[in-house]
């Protein structure tokens, strides 16, 4: 999982990231990154990039990924 997602989870206790959320420290667009991960998940919607592995999905689930 992205260090940004982990940091957000530690700060807020979830990954309910609002549309357009940008990390205030370095400008990373966490909302877009999470959307891309959702599209690469195991829900049959792989629009971009390679599908996530089960290990990647597990890591995201551990930090509260909302699919």
């Amino acid at each position: 999982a992205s260090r940004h997602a982990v940091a957000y989870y530690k700060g807020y206790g979830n990954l309910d990231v609002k549309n357009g959320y940008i990390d205030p420290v370095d400008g990373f667009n966490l909302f877009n990154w999470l959307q891309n991960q959702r599209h690469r998940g195991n829900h049959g919607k792989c629009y971009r990039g390679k599908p996530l592995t089960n290990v990647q999905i597990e890591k995201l689930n551990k930090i509260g990924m909302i699919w």
Side-chain angles (χ1 to χ4, degrees):
S2 161
R3 65 181 174 84
H4 293 91
V6 172
Y8 188 93
Y9 177 76
K10 286 180 180 178
Y12 296 97
N14 61 56
L15 283 182
D16 188 16
V17 178
K18 302 300 178 216
N19 188 357
Y21 177 82
I22 306 287
D23 186 288
V25 176
D26 65 3
F28 183 80
N29 191 323
L30 181 58
F31 179 82
N32 282 352
W33 184 85
L34 288 169
Q35 285 293 90
N36 288 335
Q37 303 319 298
R38 287 183 187 103
H39 292 303
R40 295 175 57 212
N42 61 354
H43 306 288
K45 304 187 289 186
C46 188
Y47 301 124
R48 285 191 218 160
K50 295 180 184 178
L52 295 176
T53 66
N54 288 336
V55 171
Q56 290 170 314
I57 290 169
E58 265 184 51
K59 286 180 180 180
L60 288 166
N61 286 336
K62 284 182 182 178
I63 60 168
M65 180 65 163
I66 300 168
W67 296 100

